[in-house]
Amino acid sequence: MDKKLIEQKIAVFLLGACIAITFFLLIAVIGHILQKGLGQISVEFLLEEPRDMGREGGIFPTIVGTIYLVVISLIISVPIGVLSAIYLTEYTRKGPILKAIRFATESLAGIPSIIFGLFGFTFFVIFLKLGWSVLSGSLTLAFMMLPTIVRASEEAIKSVPDAYRLGSFALGATKWQTIRKVVLPTALPGIITGIILGIGRAVGETAPVILTMGSALRIPWTIMQPARTMSVHLYILASEGISMEKAYGTATVLIIVVIFINFLANFVMRKMISV
Amino acid sequence: MKVKLLENDEVKKRVLQLQKNVKIKTKDLNAYYGELHALKDVNLQIKKHKITALIGPSGCGKSTFLRTLNRLNDFIEGAKVTGDVYIDGVNIYKDKVNVVALRKKVGMVFQKPNPFPMSIYDNIAYGPRIHGIKDEKKLDEIVERSLKGAALWEEVKDRLGDSALGLSGGQQQRLCIARVLAVEPEIVLMDEPCSALDPVSTMRIEELIEQLRQNYTIVIVTHNMQQAGRISDYTAFFLNGEVIEFGETDEMFYNPRDKRTEDYITGRFG
């Protein structure tokens, strides 16, 4: 057989094999969690408060804590992140300042989360006297998500063809109308991807959350109260050997909640931008 | 060259004739992109309700000239324009001109069809909406009238909610024309509107352009000599940023005054 054709066959095989591995790992991880955790889920598990440090009862306060934390940090980080990205792409000229800002956001995205946690602890919890609270945790996570959201939004906005902008300008639209009605809706899928990545980061964090939001097992009624997220609960249940069954149950709910929040973020952004 | 043209009595007469019904007039218009001198002392008078074709080889300044007429060059980094452009006697560069109102009056169709990634209806309604029309009934009327004006209504009336990106290239370009008509311009600038289209679509757009002449002043850039000959009333020949020759299309095509025009029209270069 022709050498080129053999190469082609090998390449196709390798590509297929890689997809198979990825798919298998994903199914294995999720399958494992669901297999061990689904049995734990019941109405009581979802809606009751934990008893005996989580050995008994449910995880309701941690579900509330997680959603609370994610929603508030998104409320802080999404507008700032998306508007920054608009400014960086549409209103600045290429030059050293833009390069510096871009380098800074890229570096920020790579900083380990515990460093944000330490900053949040000393700045929000102690210096601003916000204490261990949903607000301190949300601010810290918002800072952490910001670079991810800015970068993803920037890429998405940059990939909107200039032909759309010129077409809009030529109809007499102002720059802001063009951005709001043509550029942002077109860039939306990319922006949402960035937000979902940010959510993933926020939901999964443990150490910075413990440092800034505490690990109280009560339902947080206001943003000034401490709370525990599902990830933190899971971490404590497993690392302190409290209950592996409950840990798997929590993990299962966590996966479902993440998927739900992703759908919600998608829906809300669409509603907000395409009016 | 310019001086020579003005000395010619024949041309003087023609210029006087033209002035009676002038829609756009440029005076010593120059444009620069950084170091590049893209337009050199362009003096043109474009007549109301006529089709004026701009011809010339690539990079000769036709598109640049077109973009000076709706100030779309404002958005290009490093672009600079000097001289004057008068539309209905108003200097669009010097007087306190509202650029938004200018672009509403001077619509533009681009080389590559550029419908927005939204429904057919929203594409047409986009212009009226940004200019403040909210009434649904009125928008419906505008959409229907504009699509009819662009000879697209019959093809899309049953699927106005579908994405405009699902239309064929020719349909997309007619949609873009309809989108321009929706803001009720007086002048329509067209930058090689058929260059990305097949011959059948090109023919339909040409028919459309001829119909539009009744209500609009049209300036069209084209690389296609036959097209310029078929549809335009006046033609300007650009070369290296200068207008070499300008006059009635028939006259210029059958009897070019400048050797370079003749060479270009007969296909000896460009």
Side-chain angles (χ1 to χ4, degrees), chain A residues 19-35:
Chain A
I19 278 294
I21 292 172
T22 309
F23 193 66
F24 172 76
L25 285 177
L26 197 67
I27 295 295
V29 172
I30 294 182
H32 175 72
I33 302 284
L34 292 184
Q35 186 219 334

Side-chain angles (χ1 to χ4, degrees), chain A residues 160 164-165 167-168 171 173 177-187 273-275, chain B residues 114-130 159-167 172 175-176 179:
Chain A
V160 175
Y164 292 167
R165 294 184 180 87
S168 173
L171 288 168
Q177 283 175 323
T178 303
I179 290 170
R180 172 112 170 55
K181 312 230 163 168
V182 177
V183 175
L184 281 186
T186 313
I273 286 184
S274 61
V275 172
Chain B
N114 60 346
F116 301 131
M118 15 173 131
S119 71
I120 294 169
Y121 185 97
D122 287 339
N123 260 282
I124 309 293
Y126 180 83
R129 277 182 181 142
I130 58 171
R159 47 179 178 136
L160 294 175
D162 290 5
S163 168
L165 302 183
L167 298 172
Q172 287 189 4
L175 180 78
C176 291
R179 192 171 67 183

Side-chain angles (χ1 to χ4, degrees), chain A residues 7 41 61 71 96 105 116-117 120-121 144 170 174 178 181 183-184 186 211 213 220 222-223 227 234 240 253:
Chain A
E7 274 180 13
I41 297 179
V71 169
T105 45
F116 281 97
F121 177 68
M144 225 172 75
T174 60
T178 303
K181 312 230 163 168
V183 175
L184 281 186
T186 313
L211 271 177
M213 205 163 85
T222 74
I223 54 172
L234 170 55
E240 296 182 7
V253 178

Side-chain angles (χ1 to χ4, degrees), chain B:
Chain B
M1 203 60 233
K2 187 184 72 189
V3 178
K4 221 168 147 192
L5 278 175
L6 284 176
E7 279 164 1
N8 188 323
D9 278 352
E10 178 82 7
V11 174
K12 259 187 190 165
K13 240 193 274 168
R14 191 164 289 126
V15 166
L16 278 175
Q17 263 173 20
L18 270 167
Q19 263 167 351
K20 272 191 273 174
N21 229 338
V22 174
K23 186 77 179 171
I24 307 170
K25 186 177 136 192
T26 70
K27 204 168 149 254
D28 300 332
L29 184 67
N30 283 273
Y32 307 83
Y33 295 125
E35 295 290 295
L36 181 76
H37 195 170
L39 281 182
K40 296 165 190 162
D41 290 328
V42 174
N43 293 283
L44 279 183
Q45 302 193 337
I46 289 166
K47 269 185 107 174
K48 204 178 280 180
H49 294 192
K50 296 284 179 200
I51 300 173
T52 303
L54 310 179
I55 60 169
S58 300
C60 66
K62 309 176 300 276
S63 295
T64 304
F65 175 72
L66 210 61
R67 284 161 185 239
T68 59
L69 303 182
N70 65 348
R71 290 189 53 177
L72 211 57
N73 283 329
D74 292 10
F75 291 103
I76 295 168
E77 255 175 77
K80 202 182 98 192
V81 175
T82 66
D84 304 305
V85 176
Y86 298 91
I87 292 180
D88 290 333
V90 178
N91 187 331
I92 62 165
Y93 280 90
K94 296 242 172 72
D95 304 338
K96 279 188 183 148
V97 164
N98 177 349
V99 183
V100 166
L102 168 72
R103 298 211 181 100
K104 192 171 174 295
K105 185 170 175 172
V106 187
M108 185 164 196
V109 177
F110 295 81
Q111 187 171 356
K112 237 181 99 200
N114 60 346
F116 301 131
M118 15 173 131
S119 71
I120 294 169
Y121 185 97
D122 287 339
N123 260 282
I124 309 293
Y126 180 83
R129 277 182 181 142
I130 58 171
H131 294 298
I133 296 176
K134 289 202 182 83
D135 184 45
E136 292 291 326
K137 250 201 183 136
K138 207 165 175 196
L139 285 173
D140 289 349
E141 278 170 29
I142 293 175
V143 169
E144 183 172 343
R145 174 162 37 83
S146 307
L147 284 169
K148 278 180 175 160
L152 189 61
W153 175 250
E154 287 304 320
E155 288 158 68
V156 300
K157 65 180 177 190
D158 299 322
R159 47 179 178 136
L160 294 175
D162 290 5
S163 168
L165 302 183
L167 298 172
S168 74
Q171 289 174 323
Q172 287 189 4
Q173 195 61 299
R174 275 181 282 146
L175 180 78
C176 291
I177 294 173
R179 192 171 67 183
V180 169
L181 300 187
V183 297
E184 296 173 2
E186 293 169 25
I187 300 167
V188 180
L189 309 174
M190 299 187 167
D191 192 354
E192 297 185 52
C194 301
S195 68
L197 304 180
D198 63 86
V200 176
S201 305
T202 300
M203 212 178 72
R204 296 208 60 169
I205 302 245
E206 281 184 16
E207 284 166 11
L208 173 60
I209 292 172
E210 288 196 60
Q211 285 165 21
L212 293 178
R213 173 183 11 213
Q214 295 164 3
N215 300 310
Y216 306 91
T217 303
I218 294 171
V219 186
I220 178 170
V221 168
T222 178
H223 265 294
N224 183 330
M225 286 312 108
Q226 285 84 4
Q227 184 169 66
R230 277 195 299 266
I231 61 174
S232 70
D233 303 297
Y234 295 90
T235 298
F237 172 53
F238 281 72
L239 190 63
N240 299 324
E242 282 177 85
V243 176
I244 303 298
E245 193 165 339
F246 176 59
E248 282 177 36
T249 301
D250 292 344
E251 178 93 15
M252 190 194 279
F253 273 57
Y254 289 115
N255 199 3
R257 284 188 302 274
D258 195 286
K259 179 80 173 62
R260 290 168 292 182
T261 315
E262 188 185 337
D263 286 350
Y264 184 72
I265 290 172
T266 54
R268 233 163 282 169
F269 78 95

Side-chain angles (χ1 to χ4, degrees), chain A residues 148-183:
Chain A
T148 315
I149 293 175
V150 173
R151 288 295 298 157
S153 307
E154 233 188 306
E155 288 307 320
I157 292 170
K158 265 197 284 183
S159 69
V160 175
D162 267 339
Y164 292 167
R165 294 184 180 87
L166 287 178
S168 173
F169 293 148
L171 288 168
T174 60
K175 193 155 184 175
W176 179 243
Q177 283 175 323
T178 303
I179 290 170
R180 172 112 170 55
K181 312 230 163 168
V182 177
V183 175

